[in-house]
Amino acid sequence: MLLNQVFRDPSTSKRYRVVLEHLSDLMLIDVDSDKAWPFPMSENELRSAGYDSISDPYPMPSVEDGSIGAQRRDEAWATISPLLEHYQSLLVKNERNQLIKELLKSTDKPRLYITRQLRRYWQRGMAPNALVPDYHKCGAKGRPRREVEQKVGPKRSVTPGVGVPVTEEVAELFQMALDGFYLTSEKVPLTAAKDKAVGLFKARYPSATEKSMPTMRQFRYFYETNYRKSDVVRTRTPSRIYQKDKRALTSTSGNLNFGPGARYEIDATIADLYLVAEDDPALIIGRPVLYFVKDVFSRMVVGMYVGLENPSWVAAMLALSNAFSDKTQYCQGHGIAIMKEDWPSFGLPASIMADRGELLYKQADVLVNRFNIQLSNSRAYRGDDKAICERFFNTIQSKFRPYVGGVVEPVNGKKRAGKRYELDAELNLSEFTQMLINLVIIYNTQHVVEGYDFAPDMPTDLPAVPRELWNWGIQNRTGQLRSCDEGLARINLLPYESGTVSQVGITFKGLVYTCQEALVQGWFDRIRPNRPSKVEIAFDPRRTDTVYLRPDSTFENYWVCELSDRSRRYKGMSFVEAAGILKEMNRTKATAKQEEDYQKPDALSAVEKIVSNAKKRQKASKPSLTDSDRLRGIRQNRVTEKEVERNRSGIKSKKQSKRDRPADVVPFRSNKTQSNDSLDYPDMDAFLEDDDD
């Protein structure tokens, strides 16, 4: 079967399609000529001429139903289908002309249209889809038009020259500039990528002039028709930013949180406000740190911390202990009277979501081991993992920004004839805390949560107010949260490390502590009692005065340890300050020790020389007395040598009077009174010497 196959003439390289096969007689047509018609050739002639069978140069195109291409195809097929009923007659010139002449009487199509469609039918595969127009070469919207020799689009009216067509090679340069430069960073503008493409074009075509360069309009059209905006944004944006800020949101935070306490979220930020000192309002103390703990189900603020501690485990511990406890005492301590119904959140939640910073710490094991709380940390740079708490910082700060001074402005810096916003600070820490407590209470009791995702079983008359959601959830979902002792919770949440026990006390971070319970146990007795070598110490890094010893691993007991007199120098400090002093003292000690080690050999050398001289003198002078006489005369020798020492070391006046005889002594007592008291200094030998005789 040779019908519809394409062959190449080896001598002319022309391509022919077989449009009729009858026994050994064939009819062929040139598939590349615009004026070709079928001509006869026998199969033997085809073989003898060496025609090679090749792949079809016009693969059958596909077209969508209802498209313009399909309409044009159906129109052409309806026009030539009457001619195809006389297929063999069409292959004869005279008969073909007669058939076309008769067809023109029944159609409004011109002869040229009929002949073109008939020729197209034979050249492109003899099927209805062979009549589909070549719209893929027309450069329709979103489709490239590359097989062109002249620039498409509107002609230039202002810029000199005619431009350059966007061929496959130019499109390749555009793609290299976009993929290798524009898509690598969101900071690169499209104009810079176009300049890069022009540079590549000049490098490939050195002879090109300024009148034949790709334009920004061509470059932008190529970019918009070949790159989807969503793919460009995903590629240009760093992965963590895209996942946090631009990815599609397919669910909500409350979907998997069944009720109040199912999950708390905790986060910290530095407030956009400068504060002043409480004792001296002229002193600016900087910006405070805010910690908030929020319940995901009800959106209620269940705990908070406002202070000057940097975001750390200690500050997070204070916020969590506040979340676990009753808020009436906390508010009362800041001069605000509330009832339990105003802030009903107290107790232990089922889980806590936190940052990878504060709670990614070994002390966080207490939350799991002691309080049976499931702890999870958000992914790095993924604040959207706890968006409920993250978004609240801007919400709460937007409430006080219009009313107070010292608010951080978007653009910092002292402007000309302007004023730094830090100088407008007017609130101290206590006042700022009071203000935030009031705002939190208003938020919990009055704020309507926009876009809250109600569950199917929640009533329609339930407002999306945090307190109302909390109370409904407590009654219908989770019930009462697990309670805990506030003091025990705070101490168990403190960071803890190992300390050592010795007879001087409990040593922790270089400081010595004492403990009444340890004294009763006899840990400090100097009789080597049975005391532990290491103990666990919970401590508040802000104060060195008191630490808490855990005598067992139950987290239920603790001993209060006070700073010992040995470490009284560090009283009232933080552990950071104490560590700084200890480090400086160790540096001073090391310097002195280094000097000692350097000077000691010289002193020892002098000692050795003195001893050597003494040994030589002793060998040179041989005693005339026996050993017994030498031992018996120690006491008398000491008295004699002492008198010599007194004369040698006594105080001598420069103007010593020369007298022939001693001065007269006038007694204080009368001659009638007899006294045997001596005026000499008492002899201390009796107290110092041993029994040598």
Side-chain angles (χ1 to χ4, degrees):
M1 288 292 295
L2 302 179
L3 183 65
N4 209 18
Q5 292 189 25
V6 181
F7 295 88
R8 176 185 284 112
D9 186 350
S11 59
T12 61
S13 298
K14 290 184 178 182
R15 299 179 297 182
Y16 300 96
R17 183 185 298 274
V18 178
V19 297
L20 178 66
E21 182 180 12
H22 180 67
L23 299 178
S24 61
D25 295 329
L26 307 175
M27 294 292 291
L28 282 69
I29 188 172
D30 189 344
V31 299
D32 298 316
S33 175
D34 295 336
K35 299 180 180 181
W37 289 109
F39 63 92
M41 178 180 287
S42 66
E43 184 176 352
N44 293 332
E45 292 177 345
L46 182 71
R47 301 297 184 185
S48 61
Y51 279 46
D52 300 326
S53 178
I54 62 175
S55 59
D56 198 329
Y58 295 102
M60 199 60 64
S62 60
V63 61
E64 297 180 3
D65 292 340
S67 64
I68 297 178
Q71 296 175 9
R72 297 291 184 266
R73 175 202 63 189
D74 296 340
E75 182 181 4
W77 178 253
T79 302
I80 68 171
S81 57
L83 297 176
L84 297 177
E85 295 177 0
H86 311 280
Y87 190 77
Q88 291 188 355
S89 298
L90 286 175
L91 300 177
V92 181
K93 180 177 180 181
N94 294 333
E95 296 181 9
R96 179 173 61 244
N97 291 336
Q98 185 64 31
L99 290 172
I100 294 175
K101 184 177 180 180
E102 293 177 359
L103 180 61
L104 290 174
K105 297 177 182 180
S106 60
T107 182
D108 58 349
K109 300 296 183 181
R111 178 184 176 87
L112 182 61
Y113 176 80
I114 297 174
T115 55
R116 282 181 175 176
Q117 297 303 327
L118 186 59
R119 186 180 292 115
R120 186 184 190 92
Y121 173 80
W122 281 325
Q123 290 177 331
R124 299 204 175 191
M126 298 182 297
N129 275 4
L131 303 175
V132 175
D134 292 335
Y135 283 156
H136 64 280
K137 297 182 179 180
C138 295
K141 183 177 181 180
R143 298 182 182 180
R145 186 180 178 184
R146 301 286 179 255
E147 299 176 3
V148 293
E149 296 180 357
Q150 295 182 352
K151 177 181 174 295
V152 298
K155 296 182 179 180
R156 295 181 177 180
S157 59
V158 177
T159 306
V162 295
V164 59
V166 182
T167 60
E168 290 292 345
E169 294 181 350
V170 176
E172 181 184 358
L173 299 178
F174 285 177
Q175 185 176 2
M176 291 173 59
L178 289 169
D179 294 346
F181 187 59
Y182 180 70
L183 297 182
T184 57
S185 174
E186 58 183 347
K187 297 180 180 179
V188 179
L190 192 62
T191 54
K194 177 260 181 182
D195 295 337
K196 179 69 71 173
V198 172
L200 296 174
F201 183 84
K202 293 173 64 177
R204 179 170 291 188
Y205 304 102
S207 61
T209 63
E210 64 273 9
K211 297 180 181 180
S212 59
M213 290 292 171
T215 63
M216 184 64 195
R217 183 173 181 177
Q218 291 175 309
F219 187 77
R220 187 184 300 278
Y221 180 81
F222 177 85
Y223 163 70
E224 292 176 351
T225 54
N226 291 274
Y227 292 84
R228 290 195 307 175
K229 186 175 181 180
S230 58
D231 296 337
V232 171
V233 171
R234 179 188 291 270
T235 305
R236 281 165 56 88
T237 307
S239 177
R240 61 174 181 266
I241 297 178
Y242 180 85
Q243 293 294 331
K244 181 172 69 72
D245 299 331
K246 300 181 180 182
R247 67 180 177 90
L249 302 178
T250 58
S251 186
T252 62
S253 298
N255 182 36
L256 300 178
N257 294 279
F258 185 72
R263 188 177 77 176
Y264 283 175
E265 292 181 358
I266 181 173
D267 199 8
T269 191
I270 299 176
D272 297 335
L273 181 73
Y274 278 81
L275 302 180
V276 298
E278 296 191 11
D279 298 333
D280 188 359
L283 299 179
I284 303 173
I285 62 174
R287 299 159 61 182
V289 172
L290 307 181
Y291 263 94
F292 287 111
V293 186
K294 292 198 68 179
D295 174 60
V296 175
F297 174 80
S298 65
R299 308 294 200 269
M300 176 179 284
V301 180
V302 296
M304 59 184 295
Y305 164 77
V306 184
L308 301 178
E309 293 293 330
N310 293 327
S312 59
W313 169 260
V314 177
M317 173 269 301
L318 296 174
L320 289 176
S321 62
N322 179 257
F324 299 162
S325 60
D326 187 4
K327 311 300 185 301
T328 54
Q329 294 183 358
Y330 173 72
C331 295
Q332 186 177 0
H334 290 87
I336 301 174
I338 65 170
M339 301 178 65
K340 286 188 177 181
E341 294 77 12
D342 297 330
W343 205 339
S345 59
F346 55 88
L348 301 177
S351 64
I352 297 176
M353 167 69 75
D355 270 332
R356 293 175 56 84
E358 298 88 349
L359 298 191
L360 195 63
Y361 198 57
K362 67 177 183 179
Q363 273 73 21
D365 294 342
V366 179
L367 294 172
V368 180
N369 300 330
R370 168 61 180 86
F371 299 114
N372 193 24
I373 297 175
Q374 181 181 357
L375 182 63
S376 56
N377 290 282
S378 61
R379 293 167 289 181
Y381 303 101
R382 292 300 300 275
D384 56 319
D385 286 346
K386 45 181 178 52
I388 298 299
C389 192
E390 192 86 23
R391 181 64 179 83
F392 181 71
F393 290 116
N394 186 52
T395 301
I396 195 70
Q397 294 191 99
S398 64
K399 303 298 182 182
F400 65 75
R401 286 193 187 105
Y403 304 103
V404 298
V407 175
V408 176
E409 300 294 339
V411 179
N412 192 6
K414 185 176 180 181
K415 299 180 180 179
R416 185 174 183 180
K419 188 177 182 181
R420 292 289 293 266
Y421 52 76
E422 297 94 330
L423 300 175
D424 296 331
E426 53 193 11
L427 294 180
N428 57 38
L429 183 60
S430 298
E431 295 168 341
F432 182 63
T433 305
Q434 292 176 359
M435 181 179 66
L436 282 184
I437 291 176
N438 282 289
L439 292 175
V440 168
I441 293 175
I442 293 174
Y443 175 86
N444 286 341
T445 58
Q446 304 296 330
H447 178 73
V448 178
V449 180
E450 294 290 340
Y452 183 82
D453 51 325
F454 287 91
D457 62 332
M458 301 179 76
T460 56
D461 59 347
L462 176 63
V465 176
R467 184 177 62 176
E468 302 299 327
L469 294 171
W470 177 278
N471 292 333
W472 183 90
I474 291 293
Q475 295 175 5
N476 299 276
R477 290 288 182 84
T478 56
Q480 192 73 20
L481 273 68
R482 295 175 292 123
S483 61
C484 67
D485 180 72
E486 181 179 357
L488 189 62
R490 176 168 295 191
I491 291 175
N492 281 326
L493 288 176
L494 286 172
Y496 60 92
E497 295 182 14
S498 297
T500 59
V501 183
S502 65
Q503 64 183 16
V504 300
I506 301 170
T507 304
F508 178 71
K509 289 185 176 295
L511 310 183
V512 181
Y513 292 85
T514 58
C515 176
Q516 287 298 121
E517 291 82 355
L519 286 171
V520 173
Q521 296 287 338
W523 284 6
F524 307 145
D525 294 344
R526 293 179 292 171
I527 56 174
R528 296 187 179 276
N530 185 20
R531 57 177 172 240
S533 59
K534 290 186 178 182
V535 290
E536 276 192 354
I537 302 293
F539 65 101
D540 186 346
R542 300 172 299 174
R543 286 289 179 267
T544 59
D545 298 351
T546 305
V547 296
Y548 305 93
L549 185 148
R550 291 176 176 168
D552 49 46
S553 59
T554 62
F555 297 99
E556 299 294 338
N557 302 316
Y558 61 90
W559 296 350
V560 179
C561 304
E562 301 292 340
L563 198 64
S564 172
D565 292 340
R566 291 177 178 270
S567 301
R568 62 185 181 275
R569 179 176 186 175
Y570 309 99
K571 192 174 185 62
M573 296 182 181
S574 68
F575 277 94
V576 174
E577 295 171 336
I581 294 178
L582 285 170
K583 184 176 181 179
E584 189 63 29
M585 291 177 61
N586 290 335
R587 185 181 291 111
T588 302
K589 180 179 178 181
T591 302
K593 181 66 176 175
Q594 187 180 54
E595 182 67 20
E596 177 190 5
D597 294 341
Y598 180 75
Q599 298 292 344
K600 185 183 292 184
D602 297 338
L604 294 178
S605 177
V607 170
E608 292 176 354
K609 185 176 181 180
I610 293 173
V611 173
S612 176
N613 293 335
K615 289 181 178 180
K616 292 179 180 179
R617 186 195 65 236
Q618 288 297 105
K619 290 181 180 180
S621 60
K622 295 182 179 180
S624 58
L625 301 177
T626 63
D627 293 343
S628 299
D629 293 337
R630 293 181 64 193
L631 293 173
R632 191 181 302 112
I634 290 178
R635 179 183 293 274
Q636 184 60 37
N637 295 339
R638 181 184 181 89
V639 172
T640 304
E641 192 67 21
K642 182 169 60 176
E643 290 296 330
V644 174
E645 180 188 5
R646 287 176 177 176
N647 294 332
R648 183 172 59 248
S649 60
I651 300 175
K652 299 179 180 180
S653 175
K654 295 182 180 180
K655 297 181 180 180
Q656 187 172 358
S657 59
K658 296 180 180 181
R659 299 174 180 174
D660 296 333
R661 61 181 180 83
D664 297 333
V665 177
V666 179
F668 288 99
R669 300 176 182 271
S670 62
N671 293 331
K672 297 180 180 181
T673 303
Q674 299 294 328
S675 176
N676 295 325
D677 294 340
S678 175
L679 297 180
D680 292 338
Y681 286 102
D683 191 355
M684 302 298 294
D685 291 342
F687 299 99
L688 300 177
E689 66 187 6
D690 296 329
D691 295 335
D692 295 328
D693 293 340

